[in-house]
Amino acid sequence: MNRLRFLFLFIFIAFEGIVSLARLAAADDGGWTLESAVRRMLEVAPERRAAEAEIAARAGAYREAAAWPNPTVALRIDNKLGLEDRHGGADFTQVAVSQPLPIWRLGRERTAAAVQIEAARSRERFELLRIEREAAGAFHRLQLAQAKRALAEERTRLTDASTTARDKLVRYLAPAERERLVLLGAQARQALSAAHAEENRAAAEFRALLSLPGLTPIQTVPLRLPPAPPALETLERAIEGHPQIEAARRETEAALAGIDVAVFRRFSDPELNLFLERDFLNDARRHVAGIGVSIQVPLWGTNPGPVERARAEALQANARAEAVARDARSRMAQVHARILPLREQIGRAQTQLLAPAERMLRLTRRAFAVGEVNVLALVDALDAYVEINARHLDQIEEAAQAWAELHFASGQSLLGQEVRP
């Protein structure tokens, strides 16, 4: 039987490994997308397992709150009967069973524990949203690094094309202009080396977050401008279901339920007592059975401390819930306000900067090839082209990060559906 279980376990682990490798290969062949990166991190993130463990712990607390306390059994042995009938010896003279009756307390504890389970589930959903945002941040940083590395490679190709010996005009340049071309090529290779280093750093962060092997080649889809955000009024209606706000609201409900629990925990539960005794009555040993109830009488102490503490904790939880809702709405409004002008800047740059910079570089290279302009004009055109494109990539990456942040702030999943375990 043990061998059979071991065989089943080995087959299961091997199957999971094959499926995981197949997913990695599929992502690598088509290029990592935001969705595939987010799904991968949701699968491997330890924070998700911690949130699931908290739900299991709250479920255990609910089962504990729903369970009745165990009865107490007391046995008594003495020599009373032996003295009464003068036969001597010791015998069992009493068997007593005491059962606490949490009839008022138990239902309220179950209610508080059930609300805590819902709060833990809301916290898990919020943790999944946080994982999505972290995965999106690493993914977009890698996209930007790869796009800038491609831009640095383009700059190197353009520089090499201007300094190659096949260009007949180079032979008749002044020594200072030849040195400037050499310096231009060295700067391009230096920038390319720095771009490769930044890409390697971003790829290392991406591999670490997604638990990918160290030698796994990483290629993302090209960096693109995300779609326009919904209207702020639409987001404000949707934020009511934000997991963080929902968790804070559930914690307030649990704290309010804790007040009732504290009220009925001030005193001990009433106890039902059943007993069976053996006594000496009318010159014979006889059995006597009885039933009783024990109730604590609060004559000198009403124990108000736990109730006052529970009420203060409820007020604190309610204030915390209001602060969470306020901060969530503020964060969402700020991100939304940042996206709109950023999209306008990107749109203007495409028509007013990118296209003119490309035309200017193309015309300047042609003019340089026929000797109409000097090296300084070529350097200026190339620097302007690279700087404008780099700034454009930075703005697109900033918009993509803001898009992910807007989803997080409004409580929406980047996968296009509600986050569920």
Side-chain angles (χ1 to χ4, degrees):
M1 181 62 69
N2 291 334
R3 292 181 178 178
L4 186 60
R5 291 179 179 176
F6 178 77
L7 179 60
F8 284 154
L9 180 61
F10 177 78
I11 294 175
F12 175 77
I13 294 176
F15 177 76
E16 288 293 324
I18 293 173
V19 171
S20 180
L21 290 176
R23 289 176 179 175
L24 292 179
D28 184 61
D29 290 341
W32 284 92
T33 63
L34 177 60
E35 180 180 353
S36 62
V38 168
R39 290 188 182 279
R40 170 66 182 177
M41 188 168 177
L42 287 175
E43 290 177 359
V44 302
E47 293 86 352
R48 178 172 186 169
R49 297 194 297 272
E52 292 173 349
E54 182 187 1
I55 295 177
R58 295 298 180 182
Y62 176 80
R63 288 190 293 270
E64 180 182 359
W68 276 52
N70 293 321
T72 301
V73 178
L75 302 176
R76 181 177 177 180
I77 302 175
D78 56 32
N79 61 348
K80 177 182 178 181
L81 297 178
L83 293 174
E84 292 285 348
D85 60 12
R86 303 185 184 200
H87 289 122
D91 292 297
F92 283 100
T93 58
Q94 186 184 63
V95 177
V97 178
S98 299
Q99 173 62 58
L101 302 176
I103 51 180
W104 295 288
R105 172 180 59 84
L106 203 61
R108 290 165 175 82
E109 288 186 350
R110 283 200 302 264
T111 300
V115 177
Q116 286 288 0
I117 293 177
E118 296 302 321
R121 288 173 178 166
S122 297
R123 285 193 293 270
E124 183 199 23
R125 292 171 53 208
F126 176 70
E127 187 65 27
L128 296 182
L129 287 177
R130 193 196 61 78
I131 293 172
E132 287 189 8
R133 181 185 63 172
E134 188 174 1
F139 174 76
H140 292 315
R141 284 190 291 271
L142 180 56
Q143 277 187 311
L144 177 63
Q146 291 183 346
K148 286 195 171 183
R149 184 259 305 156
L151 180 62
E153 290 177 347
E154 182 183 8
R155 177 182 181 179
T156 303
R157 288 194 301 270
L158 292 174
T159 303
D160 292 342
S162 300
T163 57
T164 182
R166 288 174 297 179
D167 192 338
K168 303 299 183 180
L169 185 61
V170 173
R171 301 176 183 178
Y172 304 104
L173 292 177
E177 291 187 327
R178 290 197 184 99
E179 291 298 327
R180 186 176 294 278
L181 284 177
V182 172
L183 181 60
L184 186 64
Q187 289 177 336
R189 288 186 289 274
Q190 186 95 12
L192 179 59
S193 178
H196 275 296
E198 180 61 24
E199 181 184 6
N200 292 335
R201 188 203 62 78
E205 178 192 14
F206 188 79
R207 291 190 187 96
L209 288 178
L210 274 62
S211 298
L212 301 176
L215 299 179
T216 302
I218 303 295
Q219 182 59 48
T220 64
V221 296
L223 185 62
R224 293 287 184 269
L225 181 66
L232 186 59
E233 293 77 11
T234 303
L235 295 176
E236 287 177 347
R237 290 192 298 268
I239 202 174
E240 292 299 328
H242 195 292
Q244 188 181 22
I245 298 177
E246 183 67 22
R249 189 181 299 123
R250 293 293 186 181
E251 289 173 356
T252 302
E253 295 177 7
L256 292 174
I259 297 177
D260 292 337
V261 174
V263 169
F264 287 94
R265 276 186 175 178
R266 291 181 301 168
F267 314 114
S268 300
D269 296 326
E271 288 188 0
L272 177 65
N273 302 309
L274 304 174
F275 61 90
L276 178 64
E277 292 184 351
R278 296 179 65 190
D279 209 341
F280 193 82
L281 301 173
N282 296 328
D283 297 328
R285 296 188 178 190
R286 301 181 185 276
H287 291 87
V288 180
I291 184 172
V293 177
S294 300
I295 300 177
Q296 184 180 3
V297 180
L299 292 181
W300 296 282
T302 57
N303 196 17
V307 179
E308 295 174 355
R309 182 178 61 188
R311 287 172 178 167
E313 290 175 350
L315 291 175
Q316 184 182 28
N318 184 65
R320 189 183 303 115
E322 293 179 358
V324 166
R326 177 203 63 197
D327 294 343
R329 290 187 175 90
S330 175
R331 182 171 59 246
M332 182 187 67
Q334 291 177 22
V335 176
H336 191 273
R338 180 159 58 97
I339 288 180
L340 296 180
L342 188 59
R343 289 181 58 86
E344 294 178 359
Q345 293 177 12
I346 294 173
R348 289 195 301 267
Q350 290 176 341
T351 57
Q352 300 177 8
L353 294 175
L354 290 177
E358 183 179 359
R359 288 195 302 269
M360 183 181 70
L361 178 61
R362 184 173 62 253
L363 295 174
T364 303
R365 293 183 68 237
R366 290 178 181 175
F368 178 77
V370 297
E372 293 181 354
V373 297
N374 57 17
V375 177
L376 290 177
L378 178 64
V379 172
D380 291 340
L382 185 57
D383 287 345
Y385 174 80
V386 172
E387 181 180 353
I388 290 173
N389 276 272
R391 176 56 184 160
H392 182 66
L393 292 175
D394 288 334
Q395 289 179 334
I396 293 180
E397 191 264 349
E398 184 180 356
Q401 296 282 13
W403 174 257
E405 182 67 26
L406 183 64
H407 276 70
F408 175 76
S410 59
Q412 304 299 314
S413 172
L414 287 169
L415 301 178
Q417 58 188 3
E418 187 179 7
V419 179
R420 287 294 182 187

